[in-house]
Amino acid sequence: MKKQYTYIAISVAICLLVGFLSSFATQSSVNDWYLHLNKPWFNPPSWIFAPVWILLYILMGIATGLVWAKGIYHIWVKTALYHFGIQLLFNALWSIVFFGFQNIFGALLIILTLIVLLIFTIKWFKIVNKTSAYLMIPYLLWVCYAAILNYKIWELN
């Protein structure tokens, strides 16, 4: 059990670190370029993003730690963690492309890819630990919402 908490703590820290690092790209444009974009009526206020993402990164970290605790030697665990790592890279890449490069269409392609990768991650998490799969669902829902938002911003600009 102690080992499980260690894996969860490490996983949460990694997820939060990725979020923190990708926020540098966001901060470079969020108070400048992003303010001047046309946005749909359902665009949330800017202050909501940080707390939502912090919560999602914590849930992702818990989910990943629970999978990791099942034993890294097992091929299903390795496969699940591989999928998680790839989707986490695409998560960070989205911020870099959307805010850093200010490429709305490129970010749309990335977020659509991220949704597919998330579905595979959830599938593999469910094989290893059902609770982990359920912990990833809010993240998937938020990314789907973000994809719609990304599409509408692209369409309006």
Side-chain angles (χ1 to χ4, degrees):
M1 189 61 101
K2 184 178 175 184
K3 196 178 202 181
Q4 183 179 46
Y5 291 127
T6 302
Y7 291 144
I8 290 171
I10 292 168
S11 298
V12 168
I14 290 169
C15 291
L16 288 171
L17 179 63
V18 168
F20 174 74
L21 293 174
S22 63
S23 75
F24 286 111
T26 303
Q27 290 174 359
S28 68
S29 294
V30 78
N31 293 320
D32 182 25
W33 168 78
Y34 184 73
L35 287 177
H36 304 293
L37 292 174
N38 296 316
K39 297 175 202 72
W41 62 269
F42 58 88
N43 190 69
S46 295
W47 63 265
I48 199 82
F49 289 98
V52 167
W53 275 112
I54 289 168
L55 176 62
L56 292 174
Y57 283 126
I58 290 168
L59 292 174
M60 291 163 54
I62 294 168
T64 304
L66 291 172
V67 168
W68 186 10
K70 292 291 183 175
I72 195 70
Y73 57 86
H74 197 289
I75 188 68
W76 291 353
V77 172
K78 287 180 187 176
T79 304
L81 294 176
Y82 168 80
H83 281 87
F84 180 82
I86 297 298
Q87 72 76 31
L88 191 60
L89 289 174
F90 272 79
N91 174 306
L93 184 60
W94 182 89
S95 294
I96 294 165
V97 172
F98 188 90
F99 289 106
F101 297 146
Q102 300 172 2
N103 183 340
I104 301 168
F105 183 71
L108 179 60
L109 297 177
I110 289 167
I111 204 166
L112 293 174
T113 303
L114 176 57
I115 290 169
V116 172
L117 293 169
L118 263 171
I119 291 167
F120 280 112
T121 300
I122 291 169
K123 172 193 169 262
W124 281 103
F125 273 26
K126 188 174 182 185
I127 290 169
V128 176
N129 181 296
K130 284 184 175 51
T131 301
S132 293
Y134 298 135
L135 288 170
M136 295 291 284
I137 291 172
Y139 173 39
L140 176 62
L141 294 174
W142 181 259
V143 171
C144 288
Y145 169 71
I148 294 166
L149 187 60
N150 189 155
Y151 171 77
K152 290 304 284 181
I153 291 172
W154 172 70
E155 183 180 60
L156 292 170
N157 292 278

